[in-house]
């Protein structure tokens, strides 16, 4: 058991959970977060509070951001904006099929290699950007790196709103991209229209994987569509499944009406149990 707080480097961006240590930051406070390039300024969006999970593996806040830290953060944001504008302008002048997604900038000292800008972009294929890197370095007066992102990584970096009306999962809490297949959509009886099952990145929605194990377990135990079953209301034939309700739809032989029954009521194991132990 320990204390945790959540911070974000960008408004509505990904949340990062840290151990506040002896600090007690409140919502809206600017704090210093340890990164590979040194402490960076972030905003506290979830005040420090006690949690039941073990917090030993979480990084610890460096401290509260002071005036010098805020001025440095302002310079850093300005340099990022300048690098993004310069990159877009030079890409147009070079006629390259590239789209700038994000820019990262490091205000390093001479001992650490100096300033460095990293431009993240998307492109339909591999691009020869050697001349672009040279011109960007001359314009920004720093070392420049270009990194091509996949469609999923691009959506994660840019963020957005999904078809559910909420922020994209990849931009908020997903840390790894797990494989998503069209079979998952088929198992859940979803329409195979690409516009209905694709996310903002154009790939299959990550949320198709969330409920897929539930559908797999249901299909392993529930009677198939077309099979004959006995229900508390009489014998009939299965004509449909309702996985969220854990039920099946049965057309009764007696009058042809449809009845929705719990999966447990029509499963062979449940019926065998009732026949054996019910007086």
């Amino acid at each position: 058991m320990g204390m945790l707080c959540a911070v974000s480097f960008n408004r509505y961006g990904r949340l990062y959970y840290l151990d506040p240590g002896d600090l007690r930051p409140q919502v809206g406070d600017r704090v210093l977060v340890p990164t590979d390039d040194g402490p960076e300024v972030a905003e506290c969006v979830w005040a420090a509070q006690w949690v039941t999970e073990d917090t030993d593996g979480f990084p610890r806040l460096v401290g509260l951001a002071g005036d010098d830290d805020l001025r440095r953060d302002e310079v850093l944001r300005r340099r990022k904006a300048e690098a993004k504008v310069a990159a877009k302008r030079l890409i147009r002048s070079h006629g390259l099929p590239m789209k700038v997604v994000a820019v990262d900038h490091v205000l390093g000292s001479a001992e650490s290699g100096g300033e460095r800008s990293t431009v993240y972009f998307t492109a339909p294929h591999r691009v020869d950007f050697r001349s672009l890197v040279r011109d960007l370095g001359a314009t920004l007066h720093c070392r420049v790196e270009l990194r091509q992102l996949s469609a999923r990584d691009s959506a994660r970096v840019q963020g957005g709103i999904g078809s559910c009306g909420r922020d994209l999962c990849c931009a908020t809490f997903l840390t790894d991209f797990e494989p998503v297949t069209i079979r998952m959509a088929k198992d859940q009886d979803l329409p195979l229209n690409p516009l209905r099952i694709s996310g903002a990145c154009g790939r299959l929605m990550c949320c198709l994987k969330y409920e897929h194990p539930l559908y797999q377990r249901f299909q392993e135990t529930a009677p198939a569509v077309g099979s004959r079953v006995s229900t508390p209301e009489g014998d009939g034939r299965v004509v449909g499944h309702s996985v969220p309700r854990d039920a099946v739809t049965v057309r009764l032989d007696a009058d042809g009406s449809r009845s929705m029954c719990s999966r447990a009521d029509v499963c062979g194991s449940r019926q065998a149990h009732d026949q054996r132990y019910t007086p």
Side-chain angles (χ1 to χ4, degrees):
M1 185 173 181
M3 297 194 74
L4 285 180
C5 66
V7 304
S8 176
F9 291 97
N10 300 296
R11 187 172 295 275
Y12 308 120
R14 180 185 296 274
L15 298 183
Y16 296 88
Y17 296 89
L18 298 98
D19 181 356
D22 297 331
L23 303 173
R24 296 297 179 267
Q26 300 299 314
V27 174
D29 289 348
R30 309 300 290 275
V31 296
L32 294 176
V33 178
T35 67
D36 294 338
D37 298 311
E40 297 289 345
V41 177
E43 181 179 355
C44 179
V45 296
W46 181 33
Q49 65 181 47
W50 292 99
V51 295
T52 56
E53 292 81 5
D54 184 11
T55 60
D56 291 340
F58 288 86
R60 177 169 294 193
L61 286 180
V62 177
L64 297 177
D67 293 338
D68 292 339
D69 299 314
L70 296 178
R71 281 193 292 269
R72 181 177 180 274
D73 182 63
E74 183 62 29
V75 172
L76 183 63
R77 293 179 183 275
R78 186 168 60 252
R79 291 288 286 165
K80 287 182 180 180
E82 293 172 352
K84 192 170 186 177
V85 171
K88 290 182 176 181
R89 177 175 56 82
L90 289 174
I91 286 174
R92 286 196 301 269
S93 64
H94 282 265
L96 297 174
M98 301 166 57
K99 177 183 177 182
V100 177
V101 175
V103 175
D104 193 15
H105 191 82
V106 177
L107 296 174
S109 59
E111 293 77 11
S112 61
E115 293 190 24
R116 181 178 75 254
S117 283
T118 303
V119 180
Y120 300 93
F121 70 95
T122 57
H125 49 74
R126 293 182 62 86
V127 179
D128 184 3
F129 49 72
R130 287 174 292 184
S131 59
L132 174 64
V133 172
R134 183 173 59 253
D135 292 346
L136 266 177
T139 302
L140 301 176
H141 305 291
C142 67
R143 185 158 59 93
V144 176
E145 297 179 4
L146 268 71
R147 296 184 182 178
Q148 186 169 354
L149 299 179
S150 65
R152 290 186 183 273
D153 286 326
S154 175
R156 168 188 286 181
V157 172
Q158 295 183 95
I161 303 298
S163 57
C164 59
R166 300 175 64 90
D167 292 330
L168 297 180
C169 299
C170 59
T172 50
F173 65 88
L174 281 184
T175 56
D176 297 312
F177 290 123
E178 299 184 8
V180 181
T181 63
I182 195 68
R183 182 66 188 179
M184 296 180 180
K186 292 181 179 179
D187 290 344
Q188 298 175 58
D189 293 328
L190 295 175
L192 300 184
N193 183 348
L195 297 178
R196 298 286 299 277
I197 60 176
S198 298
C201 59
R203 303 295 191 268
L204 292 175
M205 293 188 295
C206 295
C207 56
L208 291 177
K209 190 175 181 63
Y210 296 167
E211 295 182 357
H212 186 242
L214 176 65
Y215 281 80
Q216 286 182 310
R217 290 193 296 268
F218 183 91
Q219 293 172 357
E220 290 173 356
T221 57
V225 174
S227 59
R228 296 194 58 80
V229 295
S230 296
T231 73
E233 300 180 20
D235 296 340
R237 189 180 300 275
V238 177
V239 294
H241 291 160
S242 179
V243 180
R245 297 182 180 181
D246 196 25
V248 298
T249 303
V250 179
R251 181 187 290 117
L252 300 177
D253 294 339
D255 55 3
S257 63
R258 295 193 176 195
S259 173
M260 182 168 290
C261 306
S262 170
R263 175 174 54 91
D265 290 338
V266 298
C267 285
S269 57
R270 171 63 177 270
Q271 295 174 0
H273 176 276
D274 292 344
Q275 291 175 2
R276 179 173 182 179
Y277 294 103
T278 302

